[in-house]
Amino acid sequence: MKIFEMSALELSRLLQKKEISAVEVTQNFVERTAAVEPQVQAYITRTPEAALAAARAVDEKRERGEPLSPLAGIPLAVKDNICTGGLRTTCGSRFLEEYIPPVDAAVVKKARDAGMPLLGKTNLDEFGMGSSTENSAFFPTHNPWDLQRVPGGSSGGSAAAVAAGMAPLALGTDTGGSVRQPAAFCGLVGLRPTYGRISRAGLVPLASSMDQAGPLAFTAADCALLLGLLAGEDRDDPTSSAEPVDDYPATLPEGVKGLRVGLLTENVPQDFDREIIAAVQRAAAVLAENGAVVEDAALPRIRSSLEVYHLLCAAESSSSLGRFDGLRYGCSEPGENVNEMYSRARGEGFGPEVKRRLLLGTSILRENRYEPFYRQALRVRALIRRDFEEALARFDLLLGAVAPTTAYPLGEKKDDPVAMYHADICILPGPLAGVPALSLPCGLSAAGLPIGVQLTAAPFQEAILFRAAHLLEQEQGPAPLRPPAL
Ligand code: GLN
């Protein structure tokens, strides 16, 4: 097996036994990237030299016998809306094309401190607004399973980088599904942690009440390893939680015996691809065969998630993106007056999807719309949260679909935002409730594309998600799914 085909856990073991060096590992991913990146276009910025220097530092420390993190020497790709000190962070937007943050996001700092070489910054839908990575201001990313298809989004660059063997691990962000859906489209495991489990300091906000960073990897064990490193309280993020962090990798082999699993039949409407419904049912059967108790579950009010999410996301982003005014970020010719300057900067700097959402958000925060739209959405959000609380008191895990289809052709939904929004129906409820959710691959469609299924658990129960995902992985066969196209 080639280095770039190994899981982070396998690489970690070889590094710790000194059977390979960190420089060899990083060099291998850099070479692989040089070979396949022209077709995939996962990265906005690549940093091979800095990654090799970081790898060299790890090798030197190991030689000196210094204690090292299990992730030391494991390269990482980072979505380009997560700040990297001294390294351009564009958010996939013209507005921030030249923006260099002064400091690392908390998650990036932890990764660097652990000795993870940073391979580069990955492509995304502008400010995370989208589900296909086609809303990037720069270029679309291609799905490594079929280069004519989308990798999903908005963390499509991170997913494509891992799927194509250009990085063993990547970080994405998930406000309304942006880790889980690209993971499903690219045959990966992707986790959206509980709101508050990982520091959000240094993530460029989309909707602050839902934003979370999360790992993408080939296996549940790899995601568990990375979450273990990143989780924990951070004084720079007052919403981060002091809840103790479980030893996720250690609990993986515990299996699912006795776990109560709720099958979200309502969450798998009949207009979903038959193959996706079948994959969810297959996963339910495997969990039952391994000792879980599977019953039907219902979240009756999640049907309103689409409207609630888009109202709240638009309102929050119109407020958080207010800082992009052409003065502090992005430059524009000064106009006659301040309004002209704003309008010129935003007119040139933002793409059509961002403009659409900012107009919606600004409009519903106006005095006469605040109550019937924004406040009403908050009330329905509270009901959705209650649905989850009730279901997760009865069940340890909820099982459902991630998306109605597998990866679709580039261009198919690009000019139809409503169709794009609708396809997010299964991944929006979790963020509204703040619960952790994981997407994992469960087989391939007849067309040879990965199918993802989704597991959801109660707040801070990521360990249960990993245990179930690990068991499903084991039952499906030894090798992780690898795209044959590249
Ligand atoms: N696809 C969703 C949207 O367009 C989710 C985005 C995200 O999680 N960043 O808003």
Side-chain angles (χ1 to χ4, degrees), residues 77-82 121-122 124 128 154-155 158 171-173 178:
V78 175
K79 187 178 180 180
D80 208 18
N81 61 349
I82 304 179
K121 304 298 295 291
T122 58
L124 68 155
S154 61
S155 314
S158 285
L171 276 180
T173 59
S178 282

Side-chain angles (χ1 to χ4, degrees), residues 407-433:
Y408 45 82
L410 282 154
E412 189 182 277
K413 297 196 199 328
K414 190 174 182 325
D415 300 319
D416 188 352
V418 175
M420 189 90 89
Y421 301 162
H422 267 278
D424 286 344
I425 183 66
C426 298
I427 45 182
L428 302 177
L432 289 168

Side-chain angles (χ1 to χ4, degrees), residues 79 127-131 153-154 173-179 206 309-310 313 353 357 421 424 427-428:
K79 187 178 180 180
F127 290 104
M129 295 183 187
S131 314
S154 61
T173 59
D174 188 312
T175 303
S178 282
V179 164
L206 171 57
Y309 170 83
H310 277 284
C313 184
E353 181 63 19
R357 295 196 192 196
Y421 301 162
D424 286 344
I427 45 182
L428 302 177

Side-chain angles (χ1 to χ4, degrees), residues 105-153:
V107 284
V108 172
K109 179 163 187 333
K110 280 193 172 182
R112 289 209 222 235
D113 288 350
M116 298 184 78
L118 202 73
L119 291 168
K121 304 298 295 291
T122 58
N123 199 17
L124 68 155
D125 290 298
E126 188 173 5
F127 290 104
M129 295 183 187
S131 314
S132 67
T133 314
E134 292 166 294
N135 293 341
S136 164
F138 307 119
F139 45 81
T141 294
H142 300 254
N143 189 317
W145 287 84
D146 176 344
L147 295 165
Q148 305 311 317
R149 291 177 188 266
V150 300

Side-chain angles (χ1 to χ4, degrees), residues 210-227:
M210 292 178 271
D211 295 339
Q212 264 291 267
L216 289 132
F218 266 110
T219 66
D222 284 3
C223 281
L225 201 59
L226 188 53
L227 182 69

Side-chain angles (χ1 to χ4, degrees), residues 126-380:
E126 188 173 5
F127 290 104
M129 295 183 187
S131 314
S132 67
T133 314
E134 292 166 294
N135 293 341
S136 164
F138 307 119
F139 45 81
T141 294
H142 300 254
N143 189 317
W145 287 84
D146 176 344
L147 295 165
Q148 305 311 317
R149 291 177 188 266
V150 300
S154 61
S155 314
S158 285
V162 176
M166 293 193 269
L169 286 171
L171 276 180
T173 59
D174 188 312
T175 303
S178 282
V179 164
R180 290 163 287 151
Q181 183 257 25
F185 280 13
C186 291
L188 303 175
V189 182
L191 171 77
R192 173 196 165 80
T194 310
Y195 186 76
R197 180 68 302 175
I198 292 187
S199 172
R200 290 182 302 113
L203 308 192
V204 179
L206 171 57
S208 299
S209 76
M210 292 178 271
D211 295 339
Q212 264 291 267
L216 289 132
F218 266 110
T219 66
D222 284 3
C223 281
L225 201 59
L226 188 53
L227 182 69
L229 174 74
L230 303 178
E233 195 181 9
D234 174 17
R235 65 186 159 82
D236 290 335
D237 173 7
T239 62
S240 69
S241 168
E243 190 76 19
V245 178
D246 291 325
D247 184 348
Y248 305 112
T251 55
L252 278 180
E254 286 177 17
V256 296
K257 199 163 183 336
L259 287 187
R260 300 159 302 164
V261 177
L263 184 58
L264 290 175
T265 32
E266 270 188 65
N267 199 12
V268 187
Q270 288 309 310
D271 61 345
F272 277 37
D273 281 2
R274 301 248 21 109
E275 290 173 297
I276 291 190
I277 299 176
V280 172
Q281 285 161 347
R282 223 167 34 239
V286 173
L287 293 172
E289 279 157 27
N290 285 276
V293 182
V294 183
E295 286 170 23
D296 281 344
L299 295 165
R301 286 167 293 204
I302 62 169
R303 275 186 234 105
S304 315
S305 300
L306 197 64
E307 294 83 352
V308 173
Y309 170 83
H310 277 284
L311 289 171
L312 295 179
C313 184
E316 291 187 34
S317 52
S318 78
S319 145
S320 59
L321 270 62
R323 72 189 74 182
F324 300 113
D325 52 12
L327 201 58
R328 287 166 294 180
Y329 303 95
C331 49
S332 155
E333 297 293 312
E336 286 289 307
N337 54 43
V338 97
N339 278 342
E340 200 178 301
M341 183 187 73
Y342 283 2
S343 121
R344 196 177 296 172
R346 290 174 180 163
E348 290 165 6
F350 290 141
E353 181 63 19
V354 177
K355 287 179 185 157
R356 197 156 28 233
R357 295 196 192 196
L358 295 188
L359 287 172
L360 172 67
T362 311
S363 127
I364 65 160
L365 290 175
R366 285 167 58 138
E367 205 179 347
N368 60 342
R369 307 230 172 92
Y370 186 80
E371 184 60 35
F373 289 99
Y374 181 70
R375 289 288 300 240
Q376 185 62 9
L378 285 180
R379 284 188 205 102
V380 182

